[in-house]
Amino acid sequence: MPDPALAVPTLTIGMPLFNNAATLRTTVDSLLAQSFQDFVLCMSDDGSSDDTVTIANDYCARDPRCRLIRQPVNLNYGNFRVLLQQATSEYFMFAAGDDRWAPTFVERCLDALRRNPRAVCAVSRVDFVLTDGRRLPSEATAALVGEPIARLAGYLDHPGDNSRMYGVFRTPGAAAAFPQHDHYAYDWTFSAASLLHGEHVEVPDVLMFRDFTPYERYVDYARRDAPPGVHRLFPLARFTWALVVEKGMPLRWPLVRRLVALNIGHHLEYTRRFHPHYHRVARPVLARLRRLLRA
């Protein structure tokens, strides 16, 4: 008989870790409590300086589905890529080290994918949890269906918080969609490119809970992730290149105008924070152009 320990699971859950000691036990417990149990949880530590590795090793010792790899150098976004490359299962999902899931999240996402053969991703509705306990619903998990141009246009209209990245994917589509190089908004590249491989469907119940991150922090990431010059002034330049050149997004006008509008919007957000004098001069013209493109 084949060794069960060597059997390929239905699902690989990839969890990138970096200093997640404060939340990791709650996060892993909510995954191990899923009603669907045929999965492997592959954790990849990216050089944590707290007790993250100790906690992860404790779970690996207690549950054979849990595995830990440790990166010799900090990979940042590349840690996500490494995890996806580990997957040989039919399905794959990313799991952040501070998120939580209702027990039926995986089961219902898998059921949605199996009922929709055109779908590459299924995700539930998501609530963001504020520090005072209040919840804000994500506006970025709606179904994106139809032909590729239509579903990409729908995504580019409102990529938002990109909670859909943490849905359950068919592994081949996810592997083909993940960007080849790290860049600001790599997660938008991933979700958008996956729509070239299939539809996104939504489970119409809140089954995932994420900690809220203030939007201003993402503007700071644009400065951190991009080299000085044009890539900072236009933070979505590399996202645009990756989506069009590397992933082959069709250059159709409905998509081009949305891409340009997104780039203008992020240019204005970045300059408002870091170049306020320029922003005051440029904003009236660029904001009007953006409205025209989005109309």
Side-chain angles (χ1 to χ4, degrees):
M1 293 180 60
D3 184 349
L6 300 178
V8 177
T10 301
L11 171 71
T12 299
I13 302 175
M15 182 179 289
L17 297 176
F18 182 73
N19 290 341
N20 294 114
T23 58
L24 187 55
R25 291 191 185 277
T26 300
T27 293
V28 174
D29 285 345
S30 74
L31 288 173
L32 298 182
Q34 290 293 303
S35 57
F36 182 87
Q37 292 279 300
D38 184 24
F39 64 82
V40 60
L41 171 59
C42 185
M43 298 173 280
S44 178
D45 183 71
D46 208 20
S48 295
S49 58
D50 61 5
D51 289 332
T52 294
V53 170
T54 300
I55 295 169
N57 275 326
D58 178 54
Y59 279 99
C60 292
R62 291 190 284 118
D63 194 313
R65 292 173 298 170
C66 297
R67 304 170 187 173
L68 175 67
I69 55 180
R70 300 182 68 180
Q71 303 305 326
V73 296
N74 185 270
L75 299 178
N76 197 14
Y77 303 140
N79 203 21
F80 287 78
R81 186 181 300 107
V82 165
L83 285 163
L84 183 49
Q85 290 169 344
Q86 305 299 308
T88 58
S89 53
E90 184 178 0
Y91 300 99
F92 178 87
M93 68 175 271
F94 285 117
D98 55 359
D99 289 348
R100 287 82 65 200
W101 300 264
T104 59
F105 174 83
V106 169
E107 178 184 358
R108 294 189 62 189
C109 287
L110 286 174
D111 180 63
L113 284 172
R114 288 164 174 161
R115 287 186 289 104
N116 294 273
R118 288 168 53 92
V120 70
C121 171
V123 66
S124 76
R125 292 179 181 171
V126 173
D127 272 358
F128 285 92
V129 182
L130 280 66
T131 54
D132 61 7
R134 289 181 298 135
R135 294 181 180 177
L136 296 176
S138 168
E139 298 179 353
T141 63
L144 296 168
V145 299
E147 296 306 308
I149 300 299
R151 56 195 189 229
L152 271 165
Y155 180 80
L156 294 174
D157 273 336
H158 185 60
D161 57 70
N162 204 36
S163 289
R164 68 182 66 246
M165 178 181 177
Y166 294 95
V168 177
F169 286 81
R170 299 187 196 276
T171 301
F178 204 88
Q180 301 165 23
H181 307 288
D182 295 355
H183 54 266
Y184 176 72
Y186 79 99
D187 53 340
W188 282 10
T189 303
F190 172 65
S191 290
S194 73
L195 289 160
L196 295 169
H197 301 277
E199 299 177 340
H200 288 190
V201 293
E202 182 189 60
V203 175
D205 293 300
V206 177
L207 301 176
M208 187 194 306
F209 307 92
R210 308 181 65 195
D211 289 341
F212 177 76
T213 301
Y215 182 76
E216 292 75 16
R217 190 178 301 177
Y218 293 103
V219 181
D220 292 338
Y221 291 164
R223 193 172 185 85
R224 180 197 70 183
D225 294 342
V230 67
H231 289 294
R232 283 188 181 173
L233 288 173
F234 291 91
L236 293 186
R238 288 189 172 186
F239 155 77
T240 302
W241 174 270
L243 190 55
V244 173
V245 178
E246 295 179 6
K247 300 304 178 183
M249 187 197 80
L251 288 176
R252 302 291 188 268
W253 176 241
L255 303 182
V256 170
R257 67 181 179 85
R258 287 169 168 85
L259 267 179
V260 174
L262 269 180
N263 275 272
I264 291 173
H266 275 66
H267 172 69
L268 289 174
E269 290 164 358
Y270 182 86
T271 56
R272 177 176 59 84
R273 179 155 186 159
F274 295 110
H275 303 282
H277 298 298
Y278 163 84
H279 178 85
R280 282 196 291 271
V281 173
R283 182 181 180 279
V285 174
L286 291 179
R288 184 171 184 272
L289 176 57
R290 182 170 180 262
R291 286 194 298 271
L292 290 172
L293 289 166
R294 289 172 60 89

